[in-house]
Amino acid sequence: MAHGPAKGISRWLFTTNHKDIGSMYLWFSFAMFLVGGLFALVVRAELFEPGMQIVDPNFFNQMTTMHGLIMVFGAIMPAFVGLANWMLPMMIGAPDMALPRMNNWSFWILPFAFFMLLSTLFMEGGGPNFGWTFYAPLSTTFAPPSVTFFIFSVHIMGISSIMGAINIIATILNMRAPGMTLMKMPLFVWTWLITAYLLIAVMPVLAGVVTMMLMDIHFGTSFFDAAGGGDPVLFQHIFWFFGHPEVYIMILPAFGIVSAIIPTFARKPLFGYSSMVYATASIAFLSFIVWAHHMFTVGMPIAGELFFMYATMLIAVPTGVKVFNWVATMFKGAMTFETPMLFAIGFVVLFTIGGLSGLMLAIAPADFQYHDTYFVVAHFHYVLVPGALFSIIAAVYYWLPKWSGRMYSEILGKTHFWVAFVGLNLTFFPMHFAGLAGMPRRIPDYHMMFANWNMISSVGAFLFAGAQLLFLYIIVTTIIKGRKATDRVWENSEGLEWTVPSPAPYHTFSTPPEVK
Amino acid sequence: MLMKAKRLTALLLAPVVLMMSHQALAEEGGRWSYNMPEGVTPVSQTIYGLHMQMFWWCVAIAVVVFGIMFYSMIRHRKSRGVKPANFHESTTLEIIWTAIPLVILIIMAIPATKGLIQIYDAEEAELDIMVTGYQWRWRYDYLDDDVSFFSNLSTPREQIQGLEPKGPHYLLEVDEPLVIPVDTKVRFLLTAADVIHSWWVPDLGVKKDTIPGFINESWALVTEPGTYRGQCAELCGRDHGFMPIVVEVLPKEEYEEWLAAKREEAEAIRALTEQTFTFDELYDRGRDVYNRWCVACHQGDGQGVPGTFPGLIGGISVGPVEGHLDVVVNGVRGTTMQAFGSQLSEVDIAAVITYERNAWGNNMGDMVQPIDVFNFKQDN
Ligand code: HEM
Ligand SMILES: [Cu+2]
Ligand SMILES: [Cu+2]
């Protein structure tokens, strides 16, 4: 029974081990993160000052589009799936994921999807240049020929996500150790369970909308073409019916991570566990009825406008509850500030700023001025970079000692945090100002009144990129030569994952543990 | 510690220093504009009010939340020898921090609803203007006055490529602005000819998507004469960043004068259709038309962009005149090649076709007269 990993490349190709698959997801997402980051640097370099200096406007559009697609589907989502693979079985006391072979498959189709997506950049007419939201008819009638490959790769990513989600639900519902009732599960497990349902609900919608595009492009239908009786706005409704839950898919697991880290370093149990669970569920529910807040300017009837405005404002309530609970957890604790805690606190502060700008965007009349400007770019980067991304980085620092059996260097980790923190605020804070002053998003050149903010942003972006190279260095050196970690790793860590040795053996919990 | 502080200041100062040298290059003030303009219409002022009100609520929430958080980060740290408390639940607290945000939101929802009702009230307009988005220019039709024209970016390419210093209205200037009278409720009917665009002028508080096949509605009542600038706000392809909007608001009498002049101009262009031109006249006019209307896709050297926009050397440009007329007048359905028949005057179409048939080594030696275009349109 207790055999180790296979030797050589076949270990990785054929593995059904949740830890191996988790590692592959994490490395893959890190590679995609660097590629997507590179594209962002091309964008920021062009925007460093007014005038066209480095790239052609069409290539600029390909860079913004690919940056968005790769970061969302290639970096953030697979990273969370990687963390789920590593941690869920260990957190609930299961020996592996429920469907290990499907697990292998859902990972291995991803590299092909992204290889295909990236190869469109070298095709005649270039890659996707219609924004990560690919509004029709820009992405149908007016798209470069490579759009067909884009559609195919979105299909593959969708299949991968759906399989991953099914696996996660099956694992959590069926494989918990005796005594691990639903309301005893760590919040990371809870948030992932809810996220997985969101994925199953909306990925087919995404697949549907790209299939409709495919039909319009190649098979003469007119879903999104008014000349044939269709409607371009229909595209946006379908896209955002997927798209808004999608943004919560990228943040709910982050809530789970932060809810694990803050209690550890505050040495105090998570405040309001059950209200956290209910808040997560309400957010998930509300996320299905707010999609048209991305479409306040398309000319909806006023009744629709009002409904989506109220629903969007409402979603701030459970989000606020989360933030208040984290603060209450920290209150009267005995805090220390190791690297995972720094990233978690960075998360709470900066995610809150993103949530507050979200609240401003929810005010429909004001959104007429904000929409499609850099103000929106600032908003979603505040929720995604110090939000989703910081939580992933925090998770890596927090659990890397468990995965590798080795401790990272605290000095380097803290340096990483501070450089990233300064870099990202320099990059994204000025975008609020540029947007309010009137700078539209997705433009390669701009008037001088936006010049100073853009220059600061570009400097910040390169600083932030540098911090991530340091991250790579830290991970590699830790795995190779970090000092040995203890089993418990942190002074106050709680949960089943800390009861197994560090590094976690290839097979854990072959016999289920008893929970309390 | 000192070293660290020094390095930190250097790091923080770098962008500032960079900017100062940059600033020296700039003549224009307002490089630090950081807030939404209050604007010059009742709607833009309503929006500005809502924006500021919501902003201050956010500041208040942030001060409270971050205040408590930083207080506890300073006071409740292990290094100060504190013992952690063990409380972890309070239904009262949960109810309080659900209720307070809810109240704030209701307080905000009331004026927001009123604002929305105001924005949607486009009734009783005194002037109707049709706004049509094209890749990558705007067209304005004064529906009651038989005046219609296109508005193109007028910033020279040399400025964009950095060969010339940039003018004060870099990328925010057009050859023909939209002109409207002051103190008049103007209704905009918005649509598009190809992809979705979005017509946005911050000072007017108007942003509305223009959607091919559908007509949207918006309105503005400007209270101060002046020039107001905006841009397309929805990604619409390659030159999305290069289709600005300029609105010139004139006192009513001046507006009437402008309108009369505009009507005369249209009359004159129509008269040109009956005239016969020499080859050189057509060729020169054609080059100007080409550079304004066609270069973005087919490029200055007629080579096009491989895979996206075909070159014009050889092909239809050296085939029969009818075929050439057909492509330019009727466009090619399902591609980005638009029907220019309704966008350009007969003279301009004749000129640009003559130019294409004789430029870049296409030595057809023939020409097309405006009357040929007129006849072609009648027959097709
Ligand atoms: C307090 C909670 C939030 C509210 C009220 C809110 C509200 C909004 C609104 C109204 C918009 C549309 C703005 C526009 O395009 O005019 C928007 C855009 C966006 N939000 Fe949020 N948001 C919240 C939290 C989040 C979170 C948690 C995420 C993701 C982690 C997120 C990601 C995004 C993204 C990616 C966009 C832009 C999409 C695009 O146009 O490309 N938001 N948000
Ligand atoms: Cu949304
Ligand atoms: Cu545009």
Side-chain angles (χ1 to χ4, degrees), chain A residues 19-68:
Chain A
K19 300 188 180 78
D20 282 353
I21 294 174
S23 303
M24 288 195 295
Y25 262 112
L26 287 168
W27 279 113
F28 175 75
S29 67
F30 195 77
M32 285 297 115
F33 174 58
L34 295 184
V35 174
L38 192 69
F39 294 166
L41 290 185
V42 173
V43 169
R44 280 318 325 168
E46 177 57 57
L47 291 174
F48 181 70
E49 56 181 6
M52 294 303 299
Q53 289 91 13
I54 301 170
V55 295
D56 163 84
N58 192 39
F59 189 69
F60 181 91
N61 289 346
Q62 293 175 42
M63 287 292 103
T64 52
T65 304
M66 285 296 226
H67 163 70

Side-chain angles (χ1 to χ4, degrees), chain A residues 283-477:
Chain A
I283 290 176
F285 167 74
L286 287 173
S287 78
F288 284 105
I289 54 163
V290 298
W291 76 87
H293 66 211
H294 297 271
M295 304 164 55
F296 282 140
T297 63
V298 300
M300 272 185 288
I302 190 165
E305 206 93 349
L306 287 171
F307 172 81
F308 285 106
M309 172 168 82
Y310 299 146
T312 304
M313 291 168 82
L314 213 54
I315 214 167
V317 174
T319 312
V321 167
K322 299 235 146 207
V323 173
F324 301 141
N325 277 319
W326 290 319
V327 175
T329 306
M330 290 161 66
F331 197 75
K332 287 202 187 291
M335 275 184 272
T336 51
F337 299 90
E338 287 86 343
T339 309
M341 182 64 163
L342 286 180
F343 276 100
I345 291 175
F347 173 99
V348 177
V349 174
L350 301 179
F351 173 80
T352 303
I353 293 178
L356 292 173
S357 63
L359 212 46
M360 297 174 73
L361 290 165
I363 306 295
D367 187 67
F368 277 83
Q369 295 281 33
Y370 305 137
H371 176 63
D372 264 334
T373 68
Y374 262 86
F375 190 78
V376 174
V377 179
H379 158 69
F380 67 73
H381 281 96
Y382 264 86
V383 284
L384 287 173
V385 178
L389 181 66
F390 264 27
S391 81
I392 293 166
I393 298 177
V396 169
Y397 281 113
Y398 187 56
W399 284 307
L400 186 61
K402 179 54 66 190
W403 302 335
S404 67
R406 293 174 186 277
M407 232 19 223
Y408 62 87
S409 147
E410 205 56 76
I411 293 179
L412 287 181
K414 286 185 173 156
T415 313
H416 175 207
F417 171 77
W418 284 110
V419 179
F421 182 87
V422 172
L424 96 88
N425 283 296
L426 277 180
T427 310
F428 299 118
F429 210 81
M431 290 182 182
H432 291 111
F433 301 131
L436 291 176
M439 180 164 167
R441 64 192 283 203
R442 296 169 167 168
I443 59 175
D445 195 6
Y446 51 85
H447 185 261
M448 285 76 75
M449 68 181 152
F450 312 124
N452 288 351
W453 303 127
N454 275 283
M455 191 170 279
I456 302 174
S457 277
S458 291
V459 172
F462 280 87
L463 190 64
F464 187 78
Q468 306 321 318
L469 294 180
L470 176 62
F471 186 36
L472 179 62
Y473 173 82
I474 295 173
I475 297 174
V476 172
T477 49

Side-chain angles (χ1 to χ4, degrees), chain B residues 136 196-198 232-237 239-241 243:
Chain B
W136 292 281
I196 301 176
H197 306 263
S198 189
C232 174
E234 181 64 60
L235 178 63
C236 55
D239 283 349
H240 161 58
M243 48 182 296

Side-chain angles (χ1 to χ4, degrees), chain A residues 80-103:
Chain A
F80 280 131
V81 181
L83 292 170
N85 258 293
W86 252 106
M87 300 317 300
L88 292 185
M90 295 212 297
M91 285 179 157
I92 62 173
D96 204 310
M97 297 294 281
L99 307 161
R101 282 166 203 270
M102 190 165 89
N103 206 8

Side-chain angles (χ1 to χ4, degrees), chain A residues 49-52 56-58 61 124-125 129-131 135-138 141-142 145 225-227 230-233 236 266-272 274-275 297-302 305-306 309-310 313-314 317 321 323-325 327-328 330-337 345 348-349 352-353 356 359-360 363-366 368-373 433 436-438 440-453 455-456 459 491, chain B residues 12 15 18-19 22-23 27-28 30-37 47 50-51 54-55 58 61-62 65-66 68-73 76-79 82-90 93-94 97-98 101-102 105 108-109 112-113 115-117 119-120 135 160-161 166-172 194-196 200 202 205 207-209 211-214 216 231-242 306-308 333-336:
Chain A
E49 56 181 6
M52 294 303 299
D56 163 84
N58 192 39
N61 289 346
E124 204 174 80
N129 56 5
F130 29 65
Y135 282 8
L138 188 61
T141 315
F142 296 83
D225 181 1
D231 182 352
V233 177
Q236 299 182 24
R267 292 170 181 73
K268 193 165 153 279
L270 181 68
F271 191 87
S274 45
S275 85
T297 63
V298 300
M300 272 185 288
I302 190 165
E305 206 93 349
L306 287 171
M309 172 168 82
Y310 299 146
M313 291 168 82
L314 213 54
V317 174
V321 167
V323 173
F324 301 141
N325 277 319
V327 175
M330 290 161 66
F331 197 75
K332 287 202 187 291
M335 275 184 272
T336 51
F337 299 90
I345 291 175
V348 177
V349 174
T352 303
I353 293 178
L356 292 173
L359 212 46
M360 297 174 73
I363 306 295
F368 277 83
Q369 295 281 33
Y370 305 137
H371 176 63
D372 264 334
T373 68
F433 301 131
L436 291 176
R441 64 192 283 203
R442 296 169 167 168
I443 59 175
D445 195 6
Y446 51 85
H447 185 261
M448 285 76 75
M449 68 181 152
F450 312 124
N452 288 351
W453 303 127
M455 191 170 279
I456 302 174
V459 172
E491 190 182 270
Chain B
L12 287 175
L18 262 169
M19 261 153 13
H22 196 72
Q23 189 130 31
E27 55 300 306
E28 178 86 341
R31 305 192 94 204
W32 292 107
S33 24
Y34 62 90
N35 202 357
M36 184 189 288
I47 294 178
L50 282 167
H51 158 68
M54 197 66 223
F55 170 72
C58 289
I61 297 169
V65 174
F66 296 156
I68 298 174
M69 200 170 153
F70 282 97
Y71 169 82
S72 90
M73 270 157 49
H76 309 144
R77 34 172 76 222
K78 193 187 170 205
S79 55
V82 292
K83 287 272 161 291
N86 195 37
F87 61 84
H88 55 85
E89 223 158 26
S90 160
L93 269 180
E94 301 287 350
W97 61 46
T98 308
L102 211 56
L105 289 176
M108 275 312 298
T113 305
L116 212 52
I117 291 170
I119 291 176
Y120 267 71
Q135 279 181 323
I160 297 174
Q161 285 155 1
K166 303 194 189 328
H169 302 301
Y170 179 67
L171 296 186
L172 296 180
D194 34 52
V195 300
I196 301 176
W200 179 35
K207 182 186 286 141
K208 206 73 185 221
D209 296 357
I211 296 163
F214 292 82
N216 268 334
Q231 282 175 271
C232 174
E234 181 64 60
L235 178 63
C236 55
R238 184 174 188 276
D239 283 349
H240 161 58
F242 303 92
T308 319
R333 220 188 99 69
T335 75
T336 49

Side-chain angles (χ1 to χ4, degrees), chain A residues 172-212:
Chain A
I172 297 174
L173 293 187
N174 295 312
M175 303 194 42
R176 297 194 309 279
M180 173 70 77
T181 58
L182 285 177
M183 287 314 265
K184 272 190 199 156
M185 297 194 308
L187 262 177
F188 183 65
V189 182
W190 255 117
T191 53
W192 241 120
L193 180 64
I194 293 170
T195 303
Y197 277 108
L198 288 184
L199 276 169
I200 290 184
V202 301
M203 291 316 276
V205 177
L206 176 66
V209 78
V210 294
T211 308
M212 289 160 92

